[in-house]
Amino acid sequence: MFQAEEFRADLHCHSTCSDGSSSPEELVGLALNLGLSGLSITDHDNVTAYPEILNMAKKQGLLMFPGVEFSANFQKKSLHVLAYSFNVSHSAITSLCEKHKSRRIERNELILQNLLKKNMPLSWNEVAEGHEGSSLGRPHIALAMVKRGYVNNIQEAFKKYLGDGKLCYAEGTPISLNETLEAIHQAGGLAVLAHPHLINNNAFISEVLKLPFDGLECYYSKFPANDQKRWVEFAQKKGLLITGGSDFHGSNKPDIPLGCSWVGKDTFMKLLAHYQSHV
Ligand code: AMP
Ligand code: ZN
Ligand code: FE
Ligand code: FE
């Protein structure tokens, strides 16, 4: 629980609509129990939680605006872009989500074929079981591998087989960063480069940020304060919004609690006002 007067908003978390273990409704309840004042649910490549969850949060007294985390490709590398405060029904967003849905189906199928070649057969049904209605990805495949006993845990599945460039990895048809930013902006949203700490290449980040980003995720998960300070200074220099969030996935990443990274009232209200200005 935080001090009642302290405004904290977590702008990065995943629900069962992608690879989190809590439903959107449960996330709202969890946020309120923790004493958070604001939240944005940022599922991977889909906005299924919206707009319904906004009404529910409003009734319960939690401030929210739409969010999503898009996978995008730039110079043959994959990165994540958070979008906030966009119109969830805008065709630019809904068609980008549809495109991701097809990409994931194709890519997941290729990964299962690669696993079969390594004598680790998995049926699509066992990957999807218990995750009906979710946008499925590598974490779901990893979980099915653990259940079958192919690996001891999810980390091992990523490290040996599913991580970018690993033995059974498949990319599928990538969606470009340019296309992603354009769709976000067409839908009235703001584009934020997610977890820059995880991109281990400064020259690459500089190239990425030459594109029309609006913000940088400087506060992330349980990253050390020094690391965060570096990104805050970087964002300030570039005139980018400074955002942050936990990247909560529930029991799928049990060491990362909701609200362990957050933004204060000023940033949250700026993003909320942006949303309210076009709905
Ligand atoms: P996908 O969206 O299907 O490409 O899967 C990527 C997601 O898998 C990331 O957003 C993380 O949530 C998760 N992930 C990536 N690497 C790991 C890892 N080493 N351990 C656990 N989860 C991971
Ligand atoms: Zn995830
Ligand atoms: Fe991410
Ligand atoms: Fe995330």
Side-chain angles (χ1 to χ4, degrees):
M1 248 309 200
F2 308 123
Q3 297 290 323
E5 67 274 14
E6 192 176 12
F7 186 107
R8 290 186 178 195
D10 190 333
L11 300 185
H12 190 161
C13 61
H14 298 268
S15 78
T16 46
C17 296
S18 62
D19 56 355
S21 65
S22 311
S23 67
E25 293 77 11
E26 286 166 345
L27 283 178
V28 167
L30 211 54
L32 286 166
N33 283 341
L34 285 168
L36 292 175
S37 306
L39 187 75
S40 189
I41 297 176
T42 51
D43 275 308
H44 293 288
D45 304 326
N46 83 83
V47 293
T48 314
Y50 298 103
E52 286 75 15
I53 199 61
L54 296 175
N55 295 328
M56 208 205 137
K58 196 172 179 182
K59 276 190 204 137
Q60 298 197 29
L62 182 71
L63 294 170
M64 267 190 92
F65 49 74
V68 60
E69 183 175 21
F70 285 122
S71 311
N73 214 272
F74 184 70
Q75 295 179 351
K76 299 199 169 141
K77 288 195 181 74
S78 174
L79 46 83
H80 285 171
V81 183
L82 291 159
Y84 295 116
S85 301
F86 49 89
N87 173 355
V88 291
S89 321
H90 195 287
S91 60
I93 288 290
T94 51
S95 38
L96 184 57
C97 290
E98 278 305 310
K99 214 167 156 177
H100 272 290
K101 204 169 161 183
S102 313
R103 175 186 71 84
R104 279 177 175 277
I105 291 169
E106 176 205 358
R107 197 252 347 223
N108 293 343
E109 191 53 51
L110 290 172
I111 293 176
L112 293 198
Q113 285 173 21
N114 290 342
L115 286 168
L116 181 62
K117 283 184 206 151
K118 298 284 170 203
N119 289 320
M120 290 178 281
L122 280 182
S123 73
W124 189 241
N125 281 347
E126 64 188 297
V127 174
E129 196 188 351
H131 307 292
E132 290 74 17
S134 308
S135 160
L136 297 174
R138 286 180 281 172
H140 305 92
I141 298 175
L143 209 59
M145 289 174 74
V146 176
K147 279 192 188 150
R148 278 269 202 153
Y150 296 150
V151 286
N152 292 317
N153 51 50
I154 291 178
Q155 287 300 333
E156 187 186 342
F158 271 93
K159 207 170 161 197
K160 286 191 181 160
Y161 304 110
L162 304 179
D164 289 14
K166 296 294 159 93
L167 266 184
C168 297
Y169 173 73
E171 189 176 26
T173 311
I175 296 173
S176 80
L177 180 56
N178 276 309
E179 180 179 348
T180 305
L181 295 176
E182 203 173 305
I184 295 167
H185 289 142
Q186 272 176 9
L190 298 165
V192 173
L193 179 62
H195 40 64
H197 328 62
L198 302 180
I199 309 172
N200 233 343
N201 182 336
N202 285 343
F204 178 70
I205 292 183
S206 294
E207 283 305 304
V208 167
L209 289 176
K210 283 181 186 162
L211 273 71
F213 275 93
D214 305 289
L216 189 64
E217 188 180 45
C218 299
Y219 305 114
Y220 178 74
S221 208
K222 294 190 287 189
F223 274 43
N226 264 356
D227 213 1
Q228 301 189 343
K229 191 166 159 255
R230 172 177 158 232
W231 291 110
V232 168
E233 285 166 5
F234 192 79
Q236 280 167 340
K237 215 169 3 179
K238 298 223 171 229
L240 293 165
L241 273 167
I242 294 162
T243 76
S246 61
D247 207 1
F248 178 72
H249 283 73
S251 61
N252 296 334
K253 290 190 184 176
D255 54 330
I256 298 171
L258 188 68
C260 68
S261 257
W262 43 273
V263 297
K265 196 169 188 175
D266 284 0
T267 303
F268 187 88
M269 288 307 174
K270 226 182 261 177
L271 288 160
L272 183 63
H274 183 91
Y275 179 58
Q276 288 168 341
S277 71
H278 63 80
V279 286

